[in-house]
Amino acid sequence: MSDDDSAVARERVIESMEQSAEVYGLSRSAGRIYGVLYFASDPLSIPELVEETGYAKSTVSNVTRTLSRIGLIHRRSSEGGGRRVRFEAEREVWFILQDVFQQYIQREVQTTLRTIRRAEEQVLAETREQERVRNLRETYEDLEEIVQLASEYSAAELREALETYER
Amino acid sequence: MSDDDSAVARERVIESMEQSAEVYGLSRSAGRIYGVLYFASDPLSIPELVEETGYAKSTVSNVTRTLSRIGLIHRRSSEGGGRRVRFEAEREVWFILQDVFQQYIQREVQTTLRTIRRAEEQVLAETREQERVRNLRETYEDLEEIVQLASEYSAAELREALETYER
DNA sequence: TGGTTTGTTCGGATTGAGCCGAACAAACAG
DNA sequence: CTGTTTGTTCGGCTCAATCCGAACAAACCA
């Protein structure tokens, strides 16, 4: 429970975020930068992030841009309208996961579904191919609906919906 | 609705699978090989897949191994116990997605949760850090439960569970 | 048996992602 | 105005993934 232990523990969590970042298709640096911001008491500027993470200024600049774009961190135009930019982590992790769901999964499912539907019209009727495409479509229609609904619920709601469901 | 249209439509769907493969962390070749097998009338051997996909024999060999390992395709030891191996696609797409869920997401969530819990014990009590870690843990506990339950349901069940839920 | 087909394994070429440092632009301080 | 701090952009380096071809091993065929 010392200060040191605390720092080590924090470091472990940040490493874990580096790991998770890869799963979400982000770089390890993105995971670390998010992690540092997640635990920071105040929003940090780019030089401060350079100091904390050891990454080059250019890397921090690029990564913060991507993270801002996808909503994992927020740009805080500093007080006084100065040039200095500060970044703050979005700490509602569920929001982030919802975003990933919407921007990533949902988009992927929808474009796939469009392709499948178009293909289903063009494929020869009464063939095995038609049946295969139809099966694909049906699963993806379920999937689209699931992803749509899941992205609207909070984590607690989603959990309850699944826990209380009686088959 | 000509034979040609049908072939084009099929090609489009396969291209879409190439795309999806990347999202699941697989190579484009894996997506194409799965796609070809998905539409094939019978299980295909490696030389046949080479013919259909244009990939080198070695590539097909390696990719089929990975796809078999993660359950997207199945090795059919050919009739007569000969050397010739044939592959068949797992066409229950939902099974595949469940597998991804279990092997990928669930595993990721669980290891992260372990790290977070350990960190929560080591972090200094009554600090901002502790609160942050606790929030993280609570979200991930919901997430673990959600993923666990979701992986047990069929697509239709999952859809119904969400559709019928009243907040 | 010798030749052919099938499948795996290896080294190497190519490509893209991630990160860095340097150059630049913009704001600020004195 | 001059020097400093901050942030972005650019080219280049490194490394890992992907894929290929060649060599090899194993089964089959005539």
Side-chain angles (χ1 to χ4, degrees):
Chain A
M1 297 284 191
S2 73
D3 241 24
D4 262 11
D5 281 349
S6 212
V8 170
R10 177 170 154 282
E11 171 63 19
R12 292 272 177 285
V13 175
I14 293 179
E15 278 169 12
S16 172
M17 288 174 171
E18 283 182 340
Q19 190 86 16
S20 301
E22 287 186 324
V23 175
Y24 299 138
L26 298 170
S27 60
R28 296 184 66 80
S29 55
R32 170 154 298 268
I33 288 174
Y34 174 82
V36 167
L37 289 175
Y38 183 87
F39 284 109
S41 340
D42 305 295
L44 299 182
S45 67
I46 289 187
E48 287 165 334
L49 281 171
V50 168
E51 170 67 23
E52 290 287 325
T53 64
Y55 284 113
K57 203 171 44 154
S58 53
T59 303
V60 174
S61 174
N62 287 322
V63 170
T64 49
R65 182 149 38 90
T66 350
L67 288 180
S68 297
R69 186 166 45 75
I70 55 183
L72 269 86
I73 65 178
H74 303 287
R75 272 182 100 100
R76 301 277 180 238
S77 315
S78 79
E79 341 70 48
R83 179 159 168 73
R84 187 162 190 150
V85 179
R86 294 173 174 283
F87 297 93
E88 183 166 20
E90 169 58 62
R91 293 200 180 79
E92 288 292 329
V93 175
W94 185 250
F95 285 173
I96 297 177
L97 295 174
Q98 277 184 321
D99 268 19
V100 171
F101 242 61
Q102 295 221 0
Q103 295 177 19
Y104 230 64
I105 313 287
Q106 204 164 18
R107 204 182 131 77
E108 166 69 19
V109 169
Q110 283 172 355
T111 61
T112 302
L113 195 48
R114 262 200 303 279
T115 305
I116 293 174
R117 284 186 174 135
R118 226 172 309 158
E120 199 179 2
E121 293 170 7
Q122 287 173 12
V123 98
L124 290 174
E126 312 292 332
T127 59
R128 189 172 3 223
E129 300 218 328
Q130 191 193 37
E131 193 203 328
R132 302 243 159 110
V133 177
R134 188 174 58 241
N135 283 339
L136 223 46
R137 175 179 54 76
E138 285 166 0
T139 302
Y140 265 81
E141 279 174 349
D142 282 340
L143 201 54
E144 185 186 37
E145 183 73 6
I146 290 165
V147 171
Q148 170 62 35
L149 289 171
S151 72
E152 291 170 2
Y153 291 147
S154 71
E157 283 171 339
L158 198 49
R159 179 175 179 168
E160 202 195 333
L162 297 181
E163 282 174 343
T164 59
Y165 175 65
E166 295 292 332
R167 320 194 197 199
Chain B
M1 297 285 189
S2 74
D3 241 23
D4 263 10
D5 281 349
S6 213
V8 170
R10 178 171 154 284
E11 171 63 19
R12 292 271 176 286
V13 174
I14 293 179
E15 278 169 12
S16 171
M17 288 175 171
E18 282 182 341
Q19 191 85 17
S20 301
E22 287 186 326
V23 174
Y24 299 137
L26 297 170
S27 60
R28 296 184 66 81
S29 54
R32 170 154 298 267
I33 288 174
Y34 174 82
V36 167
L37 288 175
Y38 182 89
F39 284 109
S41 340
D42 305 296
L44 299 181
S45 67
I46 289 187
E48 287 166 334
L49 280 171
V50 168
E51 169 68 23
E52 289 287 324
T53 64
Y55 284 112
K57 203 171 43 154
S58 54
T59 303
V60 173
S61 175
N62 287 321
V63 170
T64 49
R65 182 148 39 89
T66 20
L67 288 179
S68 296
R69 187 167 44 77
I70 56 183
L72 269 86
I73 66 178
H74 303 288
R75 272 182 100 100
R76 301 278 181 234
S77 315
S78 79
E79 341 70 48
R83 178 161 167 71
R84 188 161 190 153
V85 179
R86 294 173 175 283
F87 296 94
E88 183 167 19
E90 169 58 62
R91 294 200 180 80
E92 288 293 330
V93 176
W94 184 250
F95 285 173
I96 297 178
L97 296 174
Q98 277 184 321
D99 268 19
V100 171
F101 241 60
Q102 295 221 359
Q103 294 177 19
Y104 231 64
I105 313 288
Q106 204 164 18
R107 206 182 128 76
E108 167 68 20
V109 169
Q110 283 172 356
T111 60
T112 302
L113 195 47
R114 261 201 303 279
T115 304
I116 293 173
R117 284 187 174 134
R118 226 173 308 156
E120 198 179 3
E121 292 170 8
Q122 287 172 11
V123 98
L124 290 174
E126 312 293 332
T127 60
R128 190 172 4 224
E129 301 218 327
Q130 191 194 36
E131 193 203 329
R132 302 242 159 110
V133 177
R134 189 174 57 241
N135 284 340
L136 223 46
R137 175 178 54 76
E138 285 166 1
T139 302
Y140 265 81
E141 280 174 349
D142 283 339
L143 199 54
E144 184 186 36
E145 182 72 6
I146 290 165
V147 171
Q148 170 62 36
L149 289 171
S151 71
E152 291 171 1
Y153 291 148
S154 71
E157 283 172 339
L158 199 47
R159 179 175 180 168
E160 203 195 333
L162 296 182
E163 281 175 343
T164 59
Y165 175 64
E166 295 293 334
R167 317 194 198 204

